[in-house]
Amino acid sequence: MTCHLVAGDGVTDVPDDPDDKEGKMPQLEGKTALVTGGTSGIGYATARAFTDAGAQVFITGRTRQRVEDAAASLGAGVVGVAGDVTSIEDLDRLVDVIRASGTGLDIVFANAGSGEYVTLAEETPEHLIDTFNRNVGGTVFTVQKTLPLLNPGASVVLAGSTAATRGTPAFGAYAAAKAAIRSFGRTWAAELADRGVRVNTIVPGPIMTPGLTELAADEEERQALLDELASNPMQRIGDAEELAAAVVFLASDASSFMTGSEVYVDGGMNQV
């Protein structure tokens, strides 16, 4: 069952001093954004970054209480809609809420998704279907359902993963799903160009989020995982806020000549 929660009055403060921010308005002032999977980790940090940049933001999540808590924490200008991106009915309700706001959408960050370590020998039809439904189906139908709401010049940002090109053992289903997202990003960039809609893929490397730490079964395994991931050229795990800053760039006019691109935020993991 889907619930709707409106947090705040939709008003974003504008600096009184016109010289604030070096005389520039916030990057996303007057824009409306959707962030799926916006209750924690990268999604929550990006929703925060969008609001800080002046946007009105809609967030989704599967658990009502988490949506309520996240929307209340993010404050004014945020609308929380509880629902599952793998459910067409929930996506339809989400679109109805956004349409009722009368603003359309300038930004879609299709972020919701997750994976687990499952070897080839352990793979099951049920796990493979579920992984693709969460990561591919949820993204495809989020973008499809929001198409009628996209304003001219809108930016769609898809959540990829370094796993798509690394060949990480026991991560095959998730990696393949994220490789599919990269392919869809290219196709949609071509399909939507005549509408002035840009589509780019953000590729997180090791970012400290609940989804990352939950990949490990216990504390010892968790520490070993973090140590391995921190062996990238920058010798550390990234923060969700660092990833969010790159999403703001792709969502804003600062990236106006970019579409069909991949932007890696991975500490050099897949680059060096």
Side-chain angles (χ1 to χ4, degrees):
M1 182 175 181
T2 300
C3 71
H4 300 157
L5 172 77
V6 178
D9 57 9
V11 176
T12 302
D13 291 335
V14 177
D16 292 329
D17 183 354
D19 293 326
D20 282 356
K21 300 184 182 294
E22 298 180 350
K24 297 178 180 179
M25 296 294 286
Q27 282 179 286
L28 303 179
E29 186 71 30
K31 304 287 188 181
T32 301
L34 167 65
V35 178
T36 63
T39 61
S40 67
I42 288 169
Y44 180 85
T46 302
R48 170 71 71 191
F50 282 170
T51 60
D52 288 347
Q56 177 186 353
V57 180
F58 293 85
I59 63 168
T60 71
R62 290 180 294 178
T63 305
R64 174 190 171 118
Q65 189 60 56
R66 293 183 68 180
V67 172
E68 291 178 351
D69 292 345
S73 175
L74 290 165
V78 176
V79 178
V81 183
D84 190 333
V85 296
T86 67
S87 165
I88 296 299
E89 292 78 10
D90 284 2
L91 287 172
D92 284 337
R93 294 186 188 101
L94 170 64
V95 167
D96 287 343
V97 174
I98 299 171
R99 183 179 289 114
S101 74
T103 62
L105 280 172
D106 303 293
I107 302 157
V108 174
F109 180 32
N111 166 70
S114 60
E116 309 83 27
Y117 286 125
V118 176
T119 67
L120 174 59
E122 297 166 335
E123 190 62 82
T124 65
E126 294 78 15
H127 175 261
L128 187 67
I129 291 168
D130 179 61
T131 300
F132 271 74
N133 199 27
R134 277 181 284 147
N135 294 284
V136 181
T139 297
V140 169
F141 294 110
T142 293
V143 177
Q144 182 196 73
K145 291 292 185 178
T146 57
L147 279 178
L149 302 177
L150 295 181
N151 296 321
S155 173
V156 176
V157 182
L158 310 178
S161 172
T162 52
T165 54
R166 283 183 61 80
T168 304
F171 223 26
Y174 178 77
K178 289 302 186 179
I181 293 300
R182 174 63 180 116
S183 181
F184 276 121
R186 288 189 176 101
T187 301
W188 297 342
E191 285 185 9
L192 300 177
D194 62 352
R195 288 184 54 181
V197 174
R198 299 182 297 110
V199 184
N200 293 289
T201 303
I202 191 79
V203 185
I207 303 294
M208 186 61 75
T209 64
L212 176 65
T213 57
E214 288 167 5
L215 286 171
D218 54 44
E219 186 57 39
E220 182 178 355
E221 191 175 302
R222 184 174 299 113
Q223 191 56 55
L225 173 65
L226 294 177
D227 289 345
E228 177 186 354
L229 293 174
S231 64
N232 61 71
M234 296 189 74
Q235 296 293 298
R236 66 179 177 87
I237 305 293
D239 294 327
E241 290 75 16
E242 293 176 300
L243 191 285
V247 180
V248 170
F249 167 72
L250 289 176
S252 75
D253 291 340
S255 60
S256 59
F257 198 51
M258 292 178 64
T259 195
S261 298
E262 277 185 302
V263 174
Y264 280 77
V265 185
D266 67 347
M269 172 180 281
N270 280 29
Q271 316 306 314
V272 179

